[in-house]
Amino acid sequence: RDPEGLGHTYDGIAEIYHNQGDYPKAMECLHKALELAEQNGNRGTVCRATGNMGIIYYQMGEYDKAIECYQRTAVLAREMGDAETTVAAIGNIGLIYEERSEFAKSMEYARQYLTLARQLGNLQMESYATCNIGAIYFEMDDYVNALPCFERYHQISRQMADKQGLILANDNLGTMYLN
C-alpha cells in the first residue's frame, strides 16, 4: 500500500468533485488526503489539501473556516520555502475580508500581498494585488485612490499581454468613469 500515492489520488478526486460542484464529496476526499499526508509527514500535500479546502469553504460561504485554512496554508508554505503559495494564501485571506466588507483587514492583507508579490518579482501576482487594492478602495467609494490602482492593473496586464486581465482592467476603468 502506498499512502502517499493514495493521498494524491484523493486530492485528484477531490478536484474532480470540486469542478462538478459537489463540495461535500470534494471535502470528504480532501479530509482523507489531509489525514494521510499528516500521518506520513508529507507537508506539501498537507499544504495543498488545506489550501484547496480553503477554496471550497470560501465558495460555500464558510469564511471563518476558509480563513483558518488559508492561514495554515500560509504558515506551512512559508516553512517549506514556497513563497508563491504563501503570497497566494495571504491574498485569498484579503479577498475574504473584502467579501465580508471588513475593508481595513482586507486592505492590510492586500498590501501584504502586493509587497510580497513585488519582492518575488511576480508580475502576475502584483497585478492581482493591485486590482484587489483598487477594488477595496472602490467598495469604500474612494474613487480617487481606486483609479490609479486600476490604471496600474491595466498597464501590467498590457505589459504581460494578459487578455483576461485587460478585459477586467477595462471593465474596472469603465465602471470607475461611470461613477
Side-chain angles (χ1 to χ4, degrees):
R1 185 172 165 177
D2 176 13
E4 188 169 333
L6 186 58
H8 287 295
T9 300
Y10 279 124
D11 191 52
I13 294 170
E15 186 174 345
I16 292 167
Y17 282 130
H18 175 241
N19 290 338
Q20 293 174 340
D22 191 341
Y23 299 148
K25 285 187 180 177
M27 290 300 275
E28 181 181 322
C29 290
L30 285 170
H31 280 290
K32 289 178 182 177
L34 182 62
E35 182 180 331
L36 287 166
E38 286 174 334
Q39 288 172 0
N40 294 299
N42 186 333
R43 294 173 58 188
T45 301
V46 169
C47 187
R48 185 175 55 256
T50 304
N52 288 340
M53 290 168 75
I55 292 168
I56 294 172
Y57 281 131
Y58 174 78
Q59 291 172 333
M60 293 181 352
E62 295 187 38
Y63 298 137
D64 290 334
K65 289 181 180 179
I67 288 170
E68 288 175 24
C69 288
Y70 289 137
Q71 287 173 333
R72 184 174 184 205
T73 299
V75 169
L76 287 168
R78 187 176 295 120
E79 289 173 354
M80 294 185 312
D82 183 349
E84 289 194 358
T85 300
T86 303
V87 175
I90 289 168
N92 287 336
I93 293 168
L95 291 174
I96 293 170
Y97 283 122
E98 181 184 354
E99 184 77 22
R100 291 167 44 165
S101 299
E102 294 182 39
F103 300 124
K105 282 187 175 182
S106 181
M107 186 64 79
E108 175 186 331
Y109 279 95
R111 288 185 191 283
Q112 283 181 48
Y113 182 31
L114 178 60
T115 299
L116 294 170
R118 285 179 174 160
Q119 287 173 358
L120 283 176
N122 187 316
L123 211 50
Q124 184 74 55
M125 287 182 154
E126 180 181 341
S127 74
Y128 293 155
T130 303
C131 183
N132 292 352
I133 291 170
I136 296 164
Y137 280 130
F138 184 83
E139 290 292 323
M140 297 184 335
D141 296 327
D142 184 349
Y143 305 130
V144 171
N145 284 307
L147 183 59
C149 293
F150 292 147
E151 288 172 339
R152 176 71 179 138
Y153 178 52
H154 186 275
Q155 177 188 20
I156 295 171
S157 297
R158 192 169 7 103
Q159 179 182 344
M160 294 185 332
D162 176 2
K163 291 179 183 178
Q164 287 183 314
L166 280 169
I167 290 168
L168 182 56
N170 285 327
D171 183 52
N172 289 340
L173 289 168
T175 302
M176 282 291 309
Y177 288 117
L178 285 173
N179 285 298

